[in-house]
């Protein structure tokens, strides 16, 4: 299987799904519920700003997140919904200055997150499939998301996400089936498993628990990681460039180094800088 280069129109959409925290009002650090046990600084309700979010919407401890073992903060990725909501949907107001609108801003962020998440998988699928009928279906679904996101926030909030999910899921399932191989472990719980240097080409790890599993030096051509839990999974010195259905959140929560090769559309996590891996 070879990933097809997306047309420039879709490349732009894919780039917009990358986070740009400098163009955001720190939405994830306010709008989300956080638990200390998940690697956030404190337990907090949604709608309450994190104590480290400063008046410029920047994180006061950003450079110390690794040292302070804030794994939740390091791993989080909003698929670009933060800057989309801040700059495109609410360009003239923000949750801090316009408290009467903060609830709507946070709710819109949560809806946009889900739409961008689906769009991420649809774009990945678009690069993988050759079937014209499936490609048409994917294009229509992406167009629909883009149209919804061009609307004012009240229309976005009224969008029937559940019904739309029923349109998206069968397409993704059908694509996932095309890549489902018989190379699959019977158990989904593979926590801590040592696969070091194994040939796992074409293996199907979708929805598997791979927390702290060791993939160092494995061959992972066309290996499917759809929805797998990759917290602390070791990908040091490993080529992931042709793995499929990997997301930035999965990569951010795993461990790698400068010898790890990522698919082109993913970014090296800050925690992998200079081989400085948190334990
Ligand atoms: S919501 Fe997204 S863009 Fe905004 S600060 Fe959080 S991760 Fe960055
Ligand atoms: S510590 Fe920083 S990144 Fe984490 S929630 Fe607080 S402000 Fe956001």
């Amino acid at each position: 299987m070879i990933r097809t280069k997306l047309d420039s129109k879709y490349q732009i959409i894919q780039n917009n799904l990358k986070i740009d925290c400098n163009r955001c009002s720190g939405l994830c650090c306010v709008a989300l519920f956080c638990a200390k046990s998940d690697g956030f600084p404190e337990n907090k309700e949604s709608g309450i700003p994190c104590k480290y979010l400063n008046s410029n919407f920047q994180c006061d401890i950003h450079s110390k997140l690794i040292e302070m073992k804030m794994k939740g903060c390091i791993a989080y990725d909003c698929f670009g919904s933060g800057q989309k909501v801040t700059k495109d949907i609410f360009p003239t107001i923000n949750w801090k200055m316009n408290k009467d609108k903060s609830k709507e801003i946070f709710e819109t962020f949560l809806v946009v997150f889900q739409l961008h998440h689906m769009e991420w998988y649809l774009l990945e699928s678009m690069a993988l499939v050759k079937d014209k009928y499936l490609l048409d279906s994917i294009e229509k679904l992406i167009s629909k998301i883009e149209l919804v996101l061009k609307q004012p926030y009240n229309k976005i909030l009224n969008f029937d996400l559940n019904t739309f999910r029923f349109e998206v899921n069968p397409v993704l399932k059908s694509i996932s089936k095309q890549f489902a191989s018989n190379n699959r472990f019977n158990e989904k719980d593979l926590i801590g498993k040592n696969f070091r240097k194994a040939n796992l080409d074409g293996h199907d790890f979708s929805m598997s628990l791979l927390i702290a599993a060791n993939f160092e030096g494995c061959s992972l051509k066309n290996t499917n990681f759809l929805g797998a839990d990759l917290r602390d999974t070791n990908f040091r010195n490993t080529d992931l460039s042709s793995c499929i259905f990997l997301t930035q959140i999965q990569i951010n929560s795993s461990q790698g180094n400068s010898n790890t090769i990522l698919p082109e559309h993913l970014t090296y996590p800050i925690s992998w800088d200079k081989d400085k891996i948190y334990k």
Side-chain angles (χ1 to χ4, degrees):
M1 181 273 309
I2 297 171
R3 224 185 228 104
T4 313
K5 201 170 164 54
L6 294 174
D7 286 351
S8 58
K9 171 183 164 186
Y10 294 106
Q11 278 179 37
I12 292 169
I13 296 175
Q14 193 173 52
N15 279 335
N16 288 338
L17 302 185
K18 291 185 180 175
I19 62 169
D20 187 352
C21 303
N22 290 327
R23 299 181 64 241
C24 176
S25 55
L27 284 173
C28 60
C29 309
V30 193
L32 301 180
F33 161 87
C34 293
K36 203 169 176 180
S37 56
D38 289 335
F40 293 95
E42 56 185 347
N43 295 333
K44 73 161 202 70
E45 298 298 321
S46 59
I48 310 287
C50 169
K51 62 182 177 187
Y52 293 117
L53 187 68
N54 67 27
S55 53
N56 296 321
F57 304 123
Q58 303 287 322
C59 172
D60 268 341
I61 58 166
H62 183 72
S63 60
K64 294 188 190 146
L65 287 175
I66 298 168
E67 190 186 313
M68 292 172 75
K69 301 186 176 153
M70 297 296 165
K71 292 186 180 185
C73 301
I74 292 166
Y76 184 73
D77 183 288
C78 69
F79 294 97
S81 49
Q83 71 262 19
K84 177 79 188 170
V85 171
T86 304
K87 292 293 179 198
D88 293 353
I89 303 175
F90 293 96
T92 56
I93 62 170
N94 66 58
W95 59 268
K96 199 166 190 173
M97 302 302 289
N98 308 84
K99 294 221 178 340
D100 57 321
K101 277 276 178 281
S102 60
K103 189 167 174 287
E104 284 90 339
I105 294 173
F106 299 149
E107 284 173 358
T108 306
F109 170 63
L110 298 178
V111 173
V112 175
F113 173 87
Q114 293 180 69
L115 288 168
H116 274 196
H117 195 179
M118 285 188 251
E119 201 169 34
W120 176 274
Y121 280 126
L122 288 166
L123 287 161
E124 168 84 335
S125 304
M126 184 178 252
L128 296 172
V129 297
K130 305 275 178 270
D131 180 284
K132 192 173 167 352
Y133 172 78
L134 272 175
L135 278 171
D136 282 351
S137 307
I138 293 168
E139 278 186 29
K140 281 186 190 130
L141 291 167
I142 293 175
S143 298
K144 191 159 180 180
I145 293 176
E146 290 297 303
L147 275 177
V148 172
L149 293 174
K150 283 197 171 73
Q151 299 184 103
Y153 81 88
N154 51 337
K155 292 257 173 64
I156 295 175
L157 287 178
N158 280 334
F159 180 67
D160 188 346
L161 213 46
N162 284 335
T163 305
F164 186 59
R165 232 181 256 294
F166 281 111
E167 291 177 43
V168 173
N169 284 352
V171 176
L172 292 181
K173 268 191 190 151
S174 140
I175 292 157
S176 196
K177 252 193 203 164
Q178 288 189 11
F179 293 99
S181 73
N182 294 326
N183 297 333
R184 187 169 175 93
F185 290 91
N186 288 332
E187 68 274 35
K188 283 195 175 176
D189 180 351
L190 296 163
I191 296 174
K193 182 121 179 147
N194 188 5
F195 296 106
R196 194 168 184 273
K197 293 200 170 171
N199 184 337
L200 298 167
D201 290 348
H203 225 89
D204 180 10
F205 285 108
S206 55
M207 308 314 287
S208 297
L209 287 177
L210 294 165
I211 301 167
N214 183 12
F215 285 93
E216 184 157 7
C218 285
S219 183
L220 298 172
K221 291 189 187 75
N222 306 333
T223 305
N224 184 353
F225 285 106
L226 179 81
D229 190 336
L230 301 180
R231 281 175 291 165
D232 286 334
T233 306
N234 180 12
F235 289 123
R236 293 184 190 93
N237 309 313
T238 307
D239 183 354
L240 304 177
S241 60
S242 64
C243 291
I244 60 175
F245 295 124
L246 274 174
T247 64
Q248 193 64 47
I249 296 182
Q250 286 174 306
I251 286 300
N252 292 352
S253 63
S254 70
Q255 301 200 1
N257 62 7
S258 49
N259 291 324
T260 307
I261 305 174
L262 292 176
E264 268 178 23
H265 57 290
L266 294 174
T267 310
Y268 274 78
I270 54 163
S271 57
W272 291 11
D273 279 355
K274 304 183 190 95
D275 292 352
K276 192 169 60 179
I277 308 299
Y278 57 88
K279 298 256 189 271

